[in-house]
Amino acid sequence: MTNEVVIKTDKLTKRFGDFIATNQISFEVYQGEIFGFLGANGAGKTTAMRMLCGLSVPSSGEATIAGFDVYKQTENIKKNIGYMSQKFSLYEDLTILENIEFFGGIYNLSNKKIKEKSNSLVAALGLEKEAKKLVGELPLGFKQKLAFSVAVMHDPKIVFLDEPTGGVDPVTRRQFWDLIYEASDRGITIFVTTHYMDEAEYCNRISMMVDGEIKALDTPANLKKQFGAGTMDEVFFELARGAKRKSD
């Protein structure tokens, strides 16, 4: 992790009519940092992430992602980030290699680079024998690890992970986090949302949103100390118990 700021927000706000989904959130994220973006359903995480990815225009406030303005340079933002969600990341009716080639094309990689990445990704994941299998035939854990590898194959400055380990077993989740650490060591910033509070312990810093506002932001150790808690679950419940919203 370096001191270079790659995500910076200042009073970033999103309104839908009279409803304020994200209310004046301000924070910075550094190059190579694993930054946990946590909150209960309805906290405003999804709305905030959509603004940071250049998919939704803020109502007010400021933000830069990889040095690009969220209002005026959304296409540049999209070229410099990766994205993975629990719900959709790969085409299940394409083979592993076809998925890698497809996304390599989207990321504007050369044919030579796509071939190199295909070989290295398949080897790193131990999927040489399954390379021509349909992704839909893979176990969920392998799908998630492949999806993450594809999301960072173009060496983005930042990768946004939206509930990336939902539904997989604890062993596979831990293996997935090994991939996250490797990407962080390469200087890629990890911006991750998760419902698993044990995963919050793996982050360098954590922000916790309640009803559209950031109510806490610090290292896991400091947050536990601040709230007199033994686990991140206890910190989360302490912050979330007064939440009024019920859905994002």
Side-chain angles (χ1 to χ4, degrees), residues 192-248:
V192 57
T193 70
T194 179
H195 279 150
Y196 300 110
M197 288 301 109
D198 60 317
E199 291 187 343
E201 302 275 4
Y202 304 153
C203 299
N204 298 122
R205 287 188 304 147
I206 296 164
S207 74
M208 287 199 169
M209 288 188 72
V210 178
D211 292 342
E213 299 178 355
I214 292 178
K215 295 296 187 180
L217 198 167
D218 212 327
T219 65
N222 286 345
L223 286 174
K224 286 186 288 186
K225 182 177 180 181
Q226 178 184 341
F227 288 91
T231 66
M232 288 305 302
D233 270 314
E234 294 175 19
V235 174
F236 177 77
F237 287 132
E238 183 67 26
L239 283 165
R241 65 173 50 175
K244 299 175 181 178
R245 299 183 189 173
K246 299 301 180 185
S247 61
D248 221 359

Side-chain angles (χ1 to χ4, degrees), residues 2-205:
T2 72
N3 291 326
E4 180 185 347
V5 176
V6 293
I7 299 175
K8 182 178 177 62
T9 74
D10 182 24
K11 298 182 179 179
L12 194 66
T13 300
K14 183 67 176 183
R15 297 182 181 86
F16 296 98
D18 294 332
F19 178 69
I20 303 176
T22 306
N23 189 14
Q24 297 193 11
I25 60 173
S26 301
F27 61 91
E28 295 180 350
V29 183
Y30 305 102
Q31 181 186 15
E33 183 173 22
I34 302 174
F35 188 84
F37 197 64
L38 310 184
N41 289 337
K45 302 187 307 297
T46 299
T47 299
M49 186 176 284
R50 286 180 58 82
M51 288 189 287
L52 299 179
C53 290
L55 299 175
S56 179
V57 179
S59 301
S60 61
E62 299 177 355
T64 55
I65 312 299
F68 299 106
D69 183 83
V70 292
Y71 292 97
K72 302 175 182 178
Q73 298 173 298
T74 56
E75 290 307 310
N76 286 323
I77 289 173
K78 293 171 188 176
K79 291 176 183 177
N80 283 274
I81 65 173
Y83 177 81
M84 175 191 166
S85 72
Q86 175 190 357
K87 296 177 182 177
F88 173 76
S89 292
L90 299 169
Y91 288 96
E92 298 210 342
D93 55 350
L94 296 180
T95 67
I96 292 172
L97 285 176
E98 287 170 342
N99 267 281
I100 295 172
E101 290 168 1
F102 176 78
F103 284 100
I106 288 178
Y107 295 140
N108 205 29
L109 300 180
S110 67
N111 289 336
K112 180 181 178 182
K113 195 68 173 177
I114 291 174
K115 186 174 181 179
E116 291 174 359
K117 289 287 186 179
S118 297
N119 293 334
S120 62
L121 290 187
V122 167
L125 295 173
L127 293 173
E128 294 97 328
K129 294 181 180 179
E130 290 83 11
K132 295 185 179 181
K133 269 189 177 181
L134 295 179
V135 163
E137 298 175 6
L138 294 175
L140 179 59
F142 275 109
K143 289 180 187 177
Q144 299 298 72
K145 288 185 281 189
L146 176 61
F148 177 78
S149 298
V150 168
V152 298
M153 67 182 293
H154 58 307
D155 296 318
K157 291 187 176 181
I158 307 156
V159 61
F160 290 89
L161 306 178
D162 192 4
E163 305 288 348
T165 57
V168 300
D169 63 86
V171 173
T172 302
R173 281 203 284 131
R174 193 63 187 84
Q175 293 171 345
F176 186 91
W177 274 85
D178 287 338
L179 297 178
I180 289 178
Y181 287 139
E182 291 171 9
S184 173
D185 288 342
R186 299 202 309 269
I188 297 175
T189 298
I190 313 295
F191 189 98
V192 57
T193 70
T194 179
H195 279 150
Y196 300 110
M197 288 301 109
D198 60 317
E199 291 187 343
E201 302 275 4
Y202 304 153
C203 299
N204 298 122
R205 287 188 304 147

